[in-house]
């Protein structure tokens, strides 16, 4: 990576102006998730611990102190929610709390923050690599944790 590319990468993270689109989701494997996988309902290229998101719109976008997202959720919920609600995906549309971004010795950024959906608070940890790849780990109060992998794209 050239110095100019590294400077552009650093500026992107420091300005908090980036969008991540994921191509894989990595839920925690449980007996219930295994049953769904055995039913044949998951997309092609998926297995119990890695679900393909190719062709499924999804994103997590940071713009200064704001966040918006739509990340399909695969896993178990710990609390009951009503049917027909729009709370099945992880959807943020609000402010980021406690945002921290630290550059590591390996030229990756470790980003952490808290965000809220309509009914739940989440802890979000993102590792952003200098080659524009990103890993997102999300844990909430009523769902098992899930991880996503993808890349940074122009917002």
């Amino acid at each position: 990576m050239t110095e100019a590319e590294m400077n552009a990468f650093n500026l992107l993270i420091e300005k908090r102006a980036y969008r991540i689109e994921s191509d894989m989701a990595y839920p925690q494997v449980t007996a219930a998730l295994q049953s769904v996988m055995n039913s044949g309902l998951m997309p092609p290229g998926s297995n119990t611990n890695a679900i393909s998101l190719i062709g499924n719109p999804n994103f997590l976008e940071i713009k200064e102190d704001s966040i918006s997202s739509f990340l399909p959720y695969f896993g178990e919920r710990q609390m009951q929610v009503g049917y027909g609600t729009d709370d099945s995906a992880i959807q943020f549309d609000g402010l980021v709390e406690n945002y921290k971004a630290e550059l590591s010795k390996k030229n990756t950024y470790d980003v952490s923050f808290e965000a809220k959906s309509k009914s739940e608070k989440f802890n979000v940890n993102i590792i952003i690599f200098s080659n524009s790849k990103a890993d997102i780990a999300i844990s909430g109060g009523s769902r098992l944790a899930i991880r996503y992998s993808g890349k940074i794209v122009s917002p």
Side-chain angles (χ1 to χ4, degrees), residues 53-80:
L53 298 179
I54 296 172
N56 287 325
N58 68 83
F59 68 94
L60 184 144
E61 186 169 357
I62 300 286
K63 287 184 180 176
E64 298 176 2
D65 290 336
S66 297
I67 184 170
S68 60
S69 75
F70 181 86
L71 296 168
Y73 179 73
F74 302 91
E76 289 187 30
R77 305 263 329 223
Q78 304 299 306
M79 296 174 56
Q80 187 172 359

Side-chain angles (χ1 to χ4, degrees), residues 11-12 23 71 149:
L11 188 61
L12 183 77
D23 52 13
L71 296 168
S149 66

Side-chain angles (χ1 to χ4, degrees), residues 135-151:
D135 284 333
I136 306 168
I138 300 178
S139 60
S142 68
R143 306 174 200 228
L144 294 180
I146 188 167
R147 191 173 59 83
Y148 301 88
S149 66
K151 62 184 176 183

Side-chain angles (χ1 to χ4, degrees), residues 86-107:
D86 62 351
D87 200 25
S88 59
I90 297 174
Q91 295 178 274
F92 302 128
D93 191 15
L95 297 177
V96 172
E97 299 174 16
N98 301 317
Y99 184 95
K100 295 177 188 170
E102 297 177 359
L103 182 62
S104 76
K105 293 178 183 178
K106 296 180 182 180
N107 288 331

Side-chain angles (χ1 to χ4, degrees), residues 26-30 33 48 74-76 144-146:
Y26 303 96
Q28 290 187 18
V29 179
T30 63
L33 185 60
T48 306
F74 302 91
E76 289 187 30
L144 294 180
I146 188 167

Side-chain angles (χ1 to χ4, degrees), residues 4-130:
E5 290 171 328
M6 193 62 197
N7 288 340
F9 172 66
N10 289 336
L11 188 61
L12 183 77
I13 305 305
E14 290 169 11
K15 282 191 164 188
R16 295 186 193 182
Y18 53 90
R19 178 183 175 103
I20 300 170
E21 293 181 359
S22 299
D23 52 13
M24 294 297 289
Y26 303 96
Q28 290 187 18
V29 179
T30 63
L33 185 60
Q34 183 64 49
S35 295
V36 172
M37 288 303 294
N38 291 341
S39 72
L41 294 173
M42 291 299 186
S46 301
N47 60 51
T48 306
N49 59 354
I51 299 172
S52 174
L53 298 179
I54 296 172
N56 287 325
N58 68 83
F59 68 94
L60 184 144
E61 186 169 357
I62 300 286
K63 287 184 180 176
E64 298 176 2
D65 290 336
S66 297
I67 184 170
S68 60
S69 75
F70 181 86
L71 296 168
Y73 179 73
F74 302 91
E76 289 187 30
R77 305 263 329 223
Q78 304 299 306
M79 296 174 56
Q80 187 172 359
V81 293
Y83 288 101
T85 66
D86 62 351
D87 200 25
S88 59
I90 297 174
Q91 295 178 274
F92 302 128
D93 191 15
L95 297 177
V96 172
E97 299 174 16
N98 301 317
Y99 184 95
K100 295 177 188 170
E102 297 177 359
L103 182 62
S104 76
K105 293 178 183 178
K106 296 180 182 180
N107 288 331
T108 63
Y109 273 94
D110 295 325
V111 177
S112 64
F113 57 86
E114 297 169 356
K116 294 178 186 175
S117 69
K118 289 181 182 177
S119 62
E120 192 172 356
K121 187 172 184 173
F122 293 89
N123 291 317
V124 181
N125 294 292
I126 306 172
I127 299 174
I128 303 173
F129 301 90
S130 57

